[in-house]
Amino acid sequence: MRSRTKNILSLSFVFILICIAIYSIVPPAESTKLGLDLKGGLSVLLTAKGTKEAPITEDSMEQAMLIIRERVDKLGVSEPQIQRQGSNNILVQLPGIEDPQKALDIIGKTALLEFKPVVSQEEDKIMLGSTLMTGKALSDASVGFDEFNNAKVEMKFTAEGAKKFEEVTGEIIGQQLAIVLDGAIMSAPTVQAKISGGSAEITGNFTVDEAKSLALVLQTGALPVNLEISENRVVGPTLGRDSLRAGLIAGIIGLMLVVLYMIIYYRGLGLITTFALIVFGTLFWGLIAIIGKAFMWTLTLPGIAGMILSIGLAADSSIVIFERFKEEVKGGRTVRMAAETGFSHAIKTMLDADLVTLVAVIFLYLLAIGPVRGFAFTLIIGVLIDLFTAFFFTRPMLILMAQFKFFSNPLLIGAKRETK
């Protein structure tokens, strides 16, 4: 296949990818999934604290993640992020949530429900016996109201749990049975008779919202390990919009300055760089949109920083190529030959520089946690798209342009042949 044909096919391939990218980007306001710091919401880092009765194991952490995910789903939050970090941390991010405090109360609640007999009671001090049943016997929980229209939580047992509850209440007729949630006595009614039917209720001074929250955590079951909130951060939607606006302005100004510098210093070659940066930016944005839709990945403020830094890397690549091209021209080669050999020599330097950056950010992505991973991820994508753009757009574009006579003008390419 002739070189000209290969270069035209290469540019055609890039054009098709740009069309796909634009299709993924439109509409721009909805295509990119924004993270917590750009959209506002709640970020909670939960740390597991093991005990002798409930040690931290791989299974208990996986089960804790499933329960938290179920609780978050019941909150009705769209696009939540729940990630395991390290051996005993779980990061929960809820973009756009309207009531962060309610979510905070529900997510970290252990919800260990126990039924214990009251052994003795002196004034305010109540002594409890051993646990007779736990919340594992529940099949459902919901909000109800007593005769005074006070909110309460109604519980239903599984078939096995109903049988056990009937046995327990039959053994302690005339005694108080305490319903204990996370170590706190919620109520301690006196058992008047054996209770059959497979249901019970928790009464107290609940508001309707408190009763709903309690019913929700009982529906999802108790956490297998105690989770403590190590860090929580609430980002307001206004702050998120301001952060996004500031990030976009910084990116646009950075891009314009790079383009302006390249055109002033490299003239005609700077125009190729401008088109290369447009290709780079379009493919970058399109890929971010596709990854967001496919893997629920969200763009954060550090991610935007990685994108802006990638613009600099892309401009660096063009500078390396054009400087080598100019050296070839100054050395006496024709413009057409310089375009071929200049890129061949420049690509080695480009690969060395990009591979060093790539290795560093891959390790950063693997070892870092939280927002730093977003920075590393977008930088990895930026380096790969930079290499792709150099091979499939800048190189064929430079070679094709070199075939036009007007491109041989030294003023246009900023290179004069050296006189001997």
Side-chain angles (χ1 to χ4, degrees), residues 153-353:
V153 177
E154 296 174 340
M155 301 176 290
K156 290 184 179 178
F157 295 107
T158 60
E160 188 178 347
K163 187 177 178 183
K164 177 68 176 176
F165 191 65
E166 186 175 353
E167 290 175 5
V168 166
T169 53
E171 291 171 359
I172 59 170
I173 293 176
Q175 298 181 40
Q176 287 179 281
L177 178 64
I179 300 175
V180 183
L181 182 68
D182 291 342
I185 299 175
M186 305 303 294
S187 60
T190 300
V191 178
Q192 303 292 344
K194 182 189 291 186
I195 301 175
S196 59
S199 63
E201 60 185 38
I202 302 175
T203 58
N205 296 321
F206 296 126
T207 64
V208 175
D209 283 341
E210 288 171 343
K212 285 181 179 177
S213 298
L214 179 56
L216 190 153
V217 295
L218 291 177
Q219 288 168 8
T220 55
L223 291 170
V225 290
N226 184 31
L227 293 178
E228 293 184 359
I229 297 173
S230 301
E231 176 189 320
N232 75 79
R233 183 165 53 96
V234 178
V235 180
T238 303
L239 180 61
R241 282 195 296 271
D242 290 344
S243 300
L244 178 60
R245 190 182 303 114
L248 290 176
I249 290 173
I252 292 170
I253 291 175
L255 185 62
M256 290 175 65
L257 289 175
V258 168
V259 168
L260 191 62
Y261 173 82
M262 294 298 290
I263 290 177
I264 291 174
Y265 194 80
Y266 289 98
R267 303 169 197 175
L269 296 176
L271 288 175
I272 296 179
T273 302
T274 303
F275 288 120
L277 287 175
I278 292 172
V279 170
F280 172 85
T282 307
L283 294 179
F284 204 155
W285 192 355
L287 192 56
I288 290 289
I290 291 171
I291 292 174
K293 290 174 184 172
F295 303 102
M296 302 302 291
W297 182 82
T298 56
L299 180 65
T300 61
L301 198 56
I304 291 180
M307 294 177 72
I308 294 172
L309 184 57
S310 300
I311 294 173
L313 291 176
D316 278 349
S317 299
S318 295
I319 290 172
V320 171
I321 295 170
F322 296 153
E323 284 297 330
R324 191 65 197 180
F325 168 75
K326 288 165 67 176
E327 286 179 10
E328 296 287 329
V329 173
K330 289 175 182 177
R333 290 184 184 273
T334 63
V335 171
R336 186 178 300 182
M337 284 296 296
E340 292 273 5
T341 57
F343 183 86
S344 300
H345 292 139
I347 194 62
K348 296 174 185 174
T349 307
M350 269 183 56
L351 280 174
D352 287 344

Side-chain angles (χ1 to χ4, degrees), residues 60 63-64 66-68 71 109-114 134-136 138 181-182 216-227:
S60 65
Q63 189 182 354
L66 288 174
I67 291 173
I68 289 174
R71 290 181 182 179
K109 202 176 188 66
T110 304
L112 176 59
L113 183 69
E114 298 172 291
T134 68
K136 291 181 180 178
L138 296 184
L181 182 68
D182 291 342
L216 190 153
V217 295
L218 291 177
Q219 288 168 8
T220 55
L223 291 170
V225 290
N226 184 31
L227 293 178

Side-chain angles (χ1 to χ4, degrees), residues 43-46 65 68 81-85 89-93 231 233 369-371:
S43 174
V44 186
L45 183 64
L46 300 167
M65 281 196 59
I68 289 174
Q81 297 282 317
I82 302 170
Q83 300 171 339
R84 176 95 173 265
Q85 295 198 337
N89 293 314
I90 297 174
L91 177 66
V92 182
Q93 294 191 319
E231 176 189 320
R233 183 165 53 96
I369 61 174

Side-chain angles (χ1 to χ4, degrees), residues 36 39-44 71-72 74-78 92-108 207-210 212-213 216 232-237:
L36 190 76
K39 192 175 182 180
L42 173 68
S43 174
V44 186
R71 290 181 182 179
V72 169
K74 287 180 180 293
L75 284 172
V77 181
S78 62
V92 182
Q93 294 191 319
L94 309 177
I97 191 162
E98 295 179 355
D99 191 346
Q101 188 56 48
K102 179 184 176 183
L104 206 58
D105 293 340
I106 291 174
I107 291 169
T207 64
V208 175
D209 283 341
E210 288 171 343
K212 285 181 179 177
S213 298
L216 190 153
N232 75 79
R233 183 165 53 96
V234 178
V235 180

